[in-house]
């Protein structure tokens, strides 16, 4: 069975033509499943009975099952959702004044092995399919629907478990599906891909012709520190990442966001701030400082608030655009870096 939630509109149009249907059937199906929220083919009253039968034989409309649901005091929702093969991933909904942000996972586990992050602990189990990423948003939308406040997911960040550029094609399909105006219609500028710095991925992404955003998990201003924090830096050192980022900026004409985790006595010195200015200062990007979320899985400590503000202040004085990441859902372990695939029995 092919899951309809995983098919990008242009591909669905081809499928419809191959089925002997008119091309517009595809937009009709999209509008049924995403706008009218049909969950079965039987509801699609303007599609002939016989074609509905054909659809039922080959296609399904399956979304992940909700295994566990946690609600934070700040309204953040964390879901552990279960795929058809029993694998589970976490997905989080955060409420900002400007909208509801879904933090979507792109893989079950992660192969990148960053020393500060809980997601990579058990390695990568598998890539998620486009329908499994779309499914996370549909699950969150269903939760919002229950609240009857008329809210829905308006922004998407690929900042859950997994490395999006290690699952490139599925992630691009996912973006095109949720961005499509006949589908969930989530604006390109409301979609952010976050990467640990896979240079080839950055270069490919530059050429997709998308108006989506790119965030780079930098976390260190030199290779010596970055090698210790992020295993992937041995393969793609800072020089290679920054070359790809500059290419991205010139091709896509988009500014990038640099994510920079602040860990006490590891990467939060003034010298680091100085080096960071030298590294990215001329790229007109945004620096998003992330207070480190301590997990019992790593020995790192969060930098003090004074240090975080001093670090940010230095960057600002030197012309960088700086924001300090607001934290959500820390009472339910939903904050950055705390998501983990609770893989079968190995971890709670
Ligand atoms: N693989 C992608 C997507 C993961 S996004 C990437 O590396 O960008 C998750 C973000 O949270 C990344 O910037 C990651 O470095 C950061 N992060 C990981 N562990 C964290 C922790 N314990 N505290 C705060 N941020 C963390």
């Amino acid at each position: 069975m092919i899951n309809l939630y995983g098919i990008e509109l242009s591909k669905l149009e081809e499928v419809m033509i191959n089925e002997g249907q008119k091309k517009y059937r595809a937009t009709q199906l999209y509008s049924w499943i995403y706008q009218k929220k049909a969950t079965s083919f039987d509801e699609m009253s303007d599609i002939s009975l016989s074609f509905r039968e054909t659809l039922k034989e080959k296609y399904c409309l399956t979304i992940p099952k909700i295994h566990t649901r946690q609600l934070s005091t700040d309204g953040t929702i964390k879901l552990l959702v279960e795929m058809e093969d029993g694998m589970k991933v976490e997905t989080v909904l955060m409420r900002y004044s400007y909208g509801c942000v879904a933090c979507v996972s792109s893989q079950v586990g992660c192969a990148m092995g960053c020393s500060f992050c809980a997601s990579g602990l058990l390695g990568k189990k598998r890539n998620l399919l486009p329908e499994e990423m779309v499914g996370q948003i549909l699950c969150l939308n269903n939760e919002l629907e229950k609240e009857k406040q008329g809210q829905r997911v308006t922004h998407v960040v690929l900042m859950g478990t997994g490395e999006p550029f290690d699952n490139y094609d599925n992630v691009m399909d996912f973006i095109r599906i949720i961005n499509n105006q006949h589908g969930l219609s989530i604006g390109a500028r409301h979609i952010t891909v976050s990467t640990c710095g896979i240079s080839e991925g950055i270069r490919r992404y530059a050429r997709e012709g998308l108006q989506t955003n790119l965030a780079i998990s930098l976390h260190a201003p030199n290779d010596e520190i970055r090698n210790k924090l992020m295993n992937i830096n041995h393969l793609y050192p800072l020089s290679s990442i920054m070359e790809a980022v500059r290419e991205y900026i010139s091709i896509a004409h988009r500014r990038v966001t640099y994510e920079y985790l602040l860990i006490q006595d590891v990467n939060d010195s003034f010298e680091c701030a100085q080096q960071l200015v030298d590294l990215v200062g001329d790229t007109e990007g945004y620096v998003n400082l992330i207070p480190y979320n301590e997990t019992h899985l790593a020995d790192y400590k969060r930098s003090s608030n004074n240090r975080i503000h001093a670090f940010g202040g230095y960057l600002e004085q030197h012309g960088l655009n700086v924001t300090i990441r607001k934290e959500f859902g820390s009472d339910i372990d939903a904050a950055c870096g705390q998501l983990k695939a609770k893989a079968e029995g190995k971890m709670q």
Side-chain angles (χ1 to χ4, degrees), residues 173-235:
D173 273 1
F174 161 67
I175 290 175
R176 293 205 157 88
I177 293 168
I178 60 168
N179 175 230
N180 195 287
Q181 54 165 334
H182 301 288
L184 293 171
S185 198
I186 296 174
R189 284 165 192 263
H190 291 184
I191 301 172
T192 302
V193 177
S194 178
T195 179
C196 62
I198 297 188
S199 308
E200 282 124 48
I202 298 171
R203 290 210 177 81
R204 268 180 89 182
Y205 187 61
R207 292 167 172 79
E208 294 286 345
L210 293 165
Q211 291 298 305
T212 45
N213 308 306
L214 176 65
I216 309 283
S217 292
L218 212 53
H219 306 330
N222 62 54
D223 286 324
E224 195 193 336
I225 301 178
R226 202 165 191 270
N227 281 338
K228 289 189 193 136
L229 294 175
M230 303 173 79
N231 211 9
I232 192 74
N233 198 64
H234 293 99
L235 204 56

Side-chain angles (χ1 to χ4, degrees), residues 110 112 114 116-118 158-160 162-164 194-196 215-217 219 230 259 261 290-295 325 336-338:
C110 181
M112 299 300 120
C114 299
F116 49 81
C117 178
L158 278 146
M159 295 189 186
E163 167 50 41
S194 178
T195 179
C196 62
I216 309 283
S217 292
H219 306 330
M230 303 173 79
E259 293 159 278
L261 206 54
I290 313 176
Y292 179 63
N293 289 307
E294 295 174 14
T295 82
R325 181 169 297 177
C336 269
Q338 298 184 328

